[in-house]
Amino acid sequence: IFMNAGDMFCSENSIKNVFASKSYPGIDVVYGDCIVNYGDLKKHRKGGNIGQLWKGSCFSHQSAFIDLNLHKKNLYNIKNRIAADFEFFYGLSAAGGNFLKVDQAISVVTSGGLSDIKRVDAMVAWWNCVNKSSVVNFHYIRIILLEMLKGFVKSVIRPVRRKS
C-alpha cells in the first residue's frame, strides 16, 4: 500500500479489518473505499467495478493492498508522474490480475493532490494507458471536455462571487 503525505488509514484497525480473519490466496490486489477529506467536508468514495477500470481510476491507491511479490516484479512506472498507479492497476487488470473489493473504507485521502489539481492532465494520462477503441476514445474526449467546461464555469463564477 502507498500512502501520500496527509493521507492515512481510516482507523487504527483498517489493516486488521481487512486481513485479521481472512486470507486471499490468488488475489493480487485487495481494494476498498476511501474517504476524501476536503477540509470542511468529507466524502465517502466507493471503490468501483474493476471491469470499468478502462474508464479511469475507480479506486484510490491508498485503499489498495498489492501482493508484495507481484509488486516487486512490476514496479510503478515513475516516468508516468501523474498516473503511475493507474498504469500499474490497468496493466495488471488487462493481464488477467485478480482484484477483490472489500466493502469498507480503508483510507482517508486529503484532497489537493496532483491528480486532483490537474484533473485534465490525469484523465489524459489515463487515456494514454488504456487500450484504444472508438468507445474508449469517445469516453475520454467526453470526460475531458466536461472537466474543461467545469473549470471554465468555476473561473467565471468565482470572480462574480468576490465582487458581491
Side-chain angles (χ1 to χ4, degrees), residues 101-114:
K101 182 187 181 309
V102 294
D103 279 331
Q104 69 182 62
I106 295 171
S107 67
V108 177
V109 178
T110 303
S111 69
L114 183 61

Side-chain angles (χ1 to χ4, degrees), residues 10 31-35 44-48 60 63 101-107:
C10 277
Y31 71 98
D33 306 343
C34 73
I35 307 296
H44 188 114
R45 182 174 171 230
K46 294 287 240 173
S60 169
S63 289
K101 182 187 181 309
V102 294
D103 279 331
Q104 69 182 62
I106 295 171
S107 67

Side-chain angles (χ1 to χ4, degrees), residues 10-160:
C10 277
S11 79
E12 62 185 41
N13 295 320
S14 291
I15 297 171
K16 181 179 168 186
N17 292 343
V18 174
F19 294 102
S21 62
K22 302 167 198 120
S23 66
Y24 303 102
I27 299 297
D28 300 313
V29 177
V30 176
Y31 71 98
D33 306 343
C34 73
I35 307 296
V36 182
N37 183 355
Y38 294 96
D40 57 342
L41 174 71
K42 290 182 175 54
K43 286 189 178 181
H44 188 114
R45 182 174 171 230
K46 294 287 240 173
N49 178 342
I50 204 68
Q52 300 292 307
L53 188 59
W54 65 270
K55 292 182 176 182
S57 188
C58 63
F59 59 87
S60 169
H61 71 82
Q62 295 91 329
S63 289
F65 296 97
I66 305 165
D67 177 272
L68 182 60
N69 292 321
L70 171 86
H71 206 238
K72 283 182 176 180
K73 292 177 190 170
N74 303 282
L75 302 175
Y76 281 3
N77 174 7
I78 59 172
K79 292 179 182 174
N80 187 349
R81 187 169 170 249
I82 198 165
D85 55 337
F86 176 78
E87 182 179 349
F88 172 84
F89 292 122
Y90 179 78
L92 180 60
S93 174
N98 293 313
F99 291 73
L100 176 71
K101 182 187 181 309
V102 294
D103 279 331
Q104 69 182 62
I106 295 171
S107 67
V108 177
V109 178
T110 303
S111 69
L114 183 61
S115 60
D116 191 24
I117 294 170
K118 297 187 173 272
R119 293 290 303 154
V120 170
D121 292 350
M123 292 171 179
V124 169
W126 298 340
W127 191 7
N128 287 332
C129 294
V130 300
N131 296 326
K132 308 297 186 281
S133 71
S134 297
V135 171
V136 168
N137 292 339
F138 177 77
H139 168 75
Y140 278 96
I141 290 168
R142 184 180 134 279
I143 66 169
I144 289 167
L145 288 174
L146 287 171
E147 191 64 30
M148 292 170 71
L149 179 62
K150 187 168 90 175
F152 173 75
V153 169
K154 284 181 178 179
S155 72
V156 170
I157 291 173
R158 282 189 183 126
V160 171

